[in-house]
Every structure is written in C-alpha cells, then in structure tokens.
Amino acid sequence: MGDSRYTGKDNVRLRDDGMAVVILDQSLLPGRTEYLEAETPEEMYEAIKTLRVRGAPAIGIFAAYCMAALAEREIAAFGGKGGGRKNSGHDGLFADDASGAAEFMDVMKKHGEYLKSSRPTAVNLAWAVDRTLEAAGRALKEAAETTAAAAAAEAVRREALSIHEEDIAMCRAISEHGLSLINSGDGILTHCNAGPLATSRYGTALGPIILGTERGMRFRVYADETRPLLQGARLTAYELSQAGVDVTLICDNMASAVMKNGWIQACFVGCDRVAANGDTANKIGTSGVAVLAKHYGIPFYVLGPTSTIDLACPSGDEIPIELRPPEEIKEKFFTEPVALPEVRCYNPAFDVTDHSLITAIVTENGICRPPFDESLRAAVGRRK
Ligand code: MRU
C-alpha cells in the first residue's frame, strides 16, 4: 500500500469500480496490515460494529463511501445506468418514471438507516449518511425522470468524495490550531486514538503532534492503552512511532502518576459527539483523564472537526452511549478468560466529559473556549 508513514492516506477509499469500500482493517493492527473490501450492507455494518473501521471521522467517511457503493450496486442490479428498467422484473424499480426514482431513494434511505444503526454515539456516521441522501435528493429533483436514479447515484459518489476531501483539510487546520497551544519539549497525554487512522492524514488529537514533529519540534507523548479494546496501545503508539514521535505507552490507571510527576503539560483527546453546551462524548475513560487534569492544573483540550459538533443535542445527557459485549473485558486479548463466565460486566464504549472540565475545543474553524454554547455555534456557523 505504498508509503505508510501517515497511514491515514488510503485507510478508507472507494474501490476503483465504485462498487465496494476498501479499508485498512484496524482490528488487526499493529500485528497485521490487511485491507478488506466491504461490498454488501451486512459487510459494511459489520466493519463498523467490530471496529475494523473506527474513529468518528473515519466512520463518517466510510459510511459515505458505503452509500456511494450501494447506490452503484442498486443501479447495476437493475441492468446498468440510465434509468429505464421496465423489463427487469424488479417490481418497477427504476422504471421510466418518477416513481422509480422515488423507489431508489427509499432503498437508499433503508441502507442509510441500517448503517446508522451500527454504532450510536459518533454523530459523524449519521451526519455523513444524511449528507449523501440530501445530495441524492437534490440530484433527483434536477435530473430528467429517466436518468434520475443514475444522477442521484453520481451525486452520492461526489458527496462522499467531498466529505473525505473536507476531512483532510479539517484535520490539517485542526493540527495548526492545536499546535499553537503547545511548545516543543512538552509532554502530552492522549487517550484512545484520534490520529490518521481515525480520520484522514494528520488526525485530530494527534495532528498537532505529527505536524509539529514534521517541523522539527519535539514532544513526549504518553498514550493511555485504552481498555478494553486497546486503541492507545495498538493504534496510537503505532502511529506515533511511525511518525518518529517519542511515545510512551501507559496503562489507563497510570495517568495520575505521570501527571503528578510533572511530565504532562497538556491533554489532547478526540471526540465522538460534542453537545451544544460543550459536553463531549469520547472513548470510555476520557472523563476520568479530564478530572485528573483539573486536579493537577493541566489544560485539557478536545480536538475535532465541526462535523462532530451536534448543536441539536443540548447536553451530554442526550448523547446515546454504546454498550458493548462483556467478552471484550473478560476474554479478548487474553490467552484465557480473566473472569468467570457468570461475572456481570458493564462495558460502555464512551463517556461524557462535562464541559466544565474542558479548557478548549479545537475545531478547523478555530479554538472554542467557554462559554461553549456561543463559541461552538460560531465555529459551526463558519462551516463552508
Ligand atoms: O470506539 P472507537 O475506537 O471508535 O472510539 C474512538 C474514539 O473515541 C476517538 O477518540 C474519537 O472517535 C475521535 S477520532 C478522531
């Protein structure tokens, strides 16, 4: 797959024929670098659910490409592009009239709902699916009836490519803004993985570190291992090592110790959904890091694109938190189960950090400081 120094480059892409989405399977890293092709809605759903593709922006990009591939497949299934399928035997889908195009939209909406149901917390998934559906809807209105479905499919493809391109630009801008908050020589603690794998190119929380390193700055990064799925150990430590960054892996319960030692000057974390008041959902354990940072007087920064800000969600209380299976705690990554089968587990994938614990939220449109209800609204308003 060519130069893998910045692994975000081609981690998610549309296959050349447009009929499948190709992803680097993050669930196998760092031991194995394998790509897989998701063709069916079930394969796409499974890839999100099992974290083969993960990280809020990457899930959004993937979902948009899934919609493009599914649109292409729907059209191919009914005999090629162009619209008229009266003899296809498929109950009039894509027939030479407006009802065929409407039926195409219905099928696409069903695909979208199915994909959205795979993981509930990261808002980017629903945001990206809805953007592709809106693009399809606009194209349908403008196109001639007989070619409307093909025009809609093409609009979905273009929208997906735009979402990906925009994410690359947003990560770059977030990295620049974030870099203004730290100095060469700083120690930075991060939780989970918000690097190129979770986004595109630079990443969000890791973006300033990678960009600064490119410019000759030096940072000492402490990566929480991130129980139970070990995104910090498997992905963050891997990406930062590849980028030539001085990274030290710690267990989640060591964050307080490294802060107390005076080794941490800032915390940088990503986000899965930022509510209108600044409450932020991110990987389980993030809010604990924020509480510790407050105790030790260390600034706690959340970095994420405005696509992760959900102004329709008033506070963290309304953010749905995904619950995951107990096996991830008791069995996964262990040679033998570490708890009895009957032991009950509580395995939320995310928690919400109260806005009062957050120093600033860094977006592509600038650094938002409290009061967040005003600064976030302004950042979203500047979205092109
Ligand atoms: O369960 P995951 O691995 O998808 O959780 C990911 C995170 O919590 C990331 O920090 C977040 O999505 C931001 S990625 C830029």
Side-chain angles (χ1 to χ4, degrees):
M1 199 66 192
D3 176 17
S4 63
R5 192 168 173 84
Y6 292 127
T7 44
K9 197 173 166 197
D10 282 320
N11 297 331
V12 182
R13 69 174 175 84
L14 204 54
R15 199 170 66 191
D16 290 346
D17 66 0
M19 311 253 298
V21 190
V22 185
I23 55 167
L24 172 59
D25 186 343
Q26 296 190 41
S27 69
L28 303 177
L29 288 171
R32 279 153 58 199
T33 303
E34 286 179 23
Y35 290 81
L36 69 82
E37 299 185 355
E39 293 187 340
T40 65
E42 292 74 24
E43 288 168 353
M44 293 164 178
Y45 179 100
E46 194 269 349
I48 300 174
K49 186 90 193 161
T50 60
L51 277 60
R52 297 184 192 284
V53 58
R54 51 147 296 284
I59 293 172
I61 295 163
F62 176 72
Y65 281 142
C66 288
M67 292 297 281
L70 292 171
E72 197 65 33
R73 296 185 89 80
E74 289 300 343
I75 290 199
F78 293 100
K81 293 195 180 187
R85 310 279 180 282
K86 277 211 165 117
N87 301 322
S88 69
H90 281 279
D91 300 332
L93 183 63
F94 304 173
D96 292 337
D97 55 31
S99 68
E103 231 173 299
F104 170 77
M105 273 307 280
D106 284 347
V107 174
M108 290 307 297
K109 280 180 192 159
K110 278 196 193 106
H111 287 320
E113 286 310 313
Y114 178 59
L115 291 177
K116 282 191 212 176
S117 69
S118 57
R119 293 191 81 188
T121 304
V123 72
N124 307 59
L125 171 56
W127 171 86
V129 166
D130 289 343
R131 260 186 71 167
T132 60
L133 287 172
E134 281 157 25
R138 282 195 302 275
L140 280 187
K141 278 203 194 103
E142 287 159 18
E145 280 179 6
T146 51
T147 56
E154 174 57 17
V156 171
R157 193 186 68 84
R158 272 190 272 108
E159 195 68 14
L161 289 169
S162 298
I163 287 172
H164 197 172
E165 288 301 317
E166 285 167 25
D167 193 67
I168 292 169
M170 288 193 289
C171 285
R172 173 75 194 205
I174 289 167
S175 304
E176 291 284 2
H177 290 305
L179 193 52
S180 72
L181 297 168
I182 48 178
N183 299 304
S184 192
D186 278 355
I188 295 154
L189 186 134
T190 190
H191 189 77
C192 195
N193 172 263
L197 285 163
T199 60
S200 14
R201 308 284 163 95
Y202 286 91
T204 55
L206 301 189
I209 297 161
I210 293 173
L211 186 64
T213 302
E214 278 182 354
R215 292 180 181 165
M217 297 166 81
R218 287 286 162 253
F219 304 106
R220 290 170 291 106
V221 179
Y222 291 83
D224 282 353
E225 65 173 350
T226 318
R227 282 278 287 145
L229 294 180
L230 306 180
Q231 290 91 333
R234 295 187 305 105
L235 308 175
T236 298
Y238 161 78
E239 286 190 311
L240 291 179
S241 299
Q242 285 213 327
V245 177
D246 174 348
V247 57
T248 303
L249 180 64
I250 59 172
C251 298
D252 297 337
N253 53 6
M254 297 168 189
S256 177
V258 294
M259 289 185 188
K260 190 171 183 189
N261 289 347
W263 296 346
I264 307 298
Q265 280 65 55
C267 298
F268 275 8
V269 298
C271 46
D272 287 83
R273 190 184 301 232
V274 179
N277 70 345
D279 290 352
T280 294
N282 191 50
K283 178 52 55 194
I284 187 74
T286 303
S287 68
V289 174
V291 171
L292 290 174
K294 182 128 187 151
H295 177 77
Y296 290 107
I298 296 167
F300 183 88
Y301 298 112
V302 171
L303 298 92
T306 53
S307 52
T308 309
I309 300 171
D310 185 1
L311 293 178
C313 186
S315 78
D317 291 345
E318 288 78 31
I319 299 178
I321 300 294
E322 175 187 10
L323 289 176
R324 297 191 59 90
E327 292 71 37
E328 291 179 351
I329 295 180
K330 293 197 281 189
E331 293 172 21
K332 201 172 165 72
F333 302 121
F334 296 107
T335 48
E336 284 178 32
V338 291
L340 293 172
E342 63 270 29
V343 170
R344 191 182 314 118
C345 289
Y346 171 56
N347 185 13
F350 302 95
D351 62 20
V352 173
T353 300
D354 194 85
H355 61 276
S356 62
L357 298 169
I358 298 172
T359 311
I361 299 173
V362 182
T363 75
E364 76 279 12
N365 291 335
I367 299 174
C368 305
R369 293 189 184 270
F372 288 119
D373 42 5
E374 287 169 22
S375 58
L376 290 174
R377 203 166 287 280
V380 171
R382 287 197 290 275
R383 191 152 66 200
K384 287 186 197 93

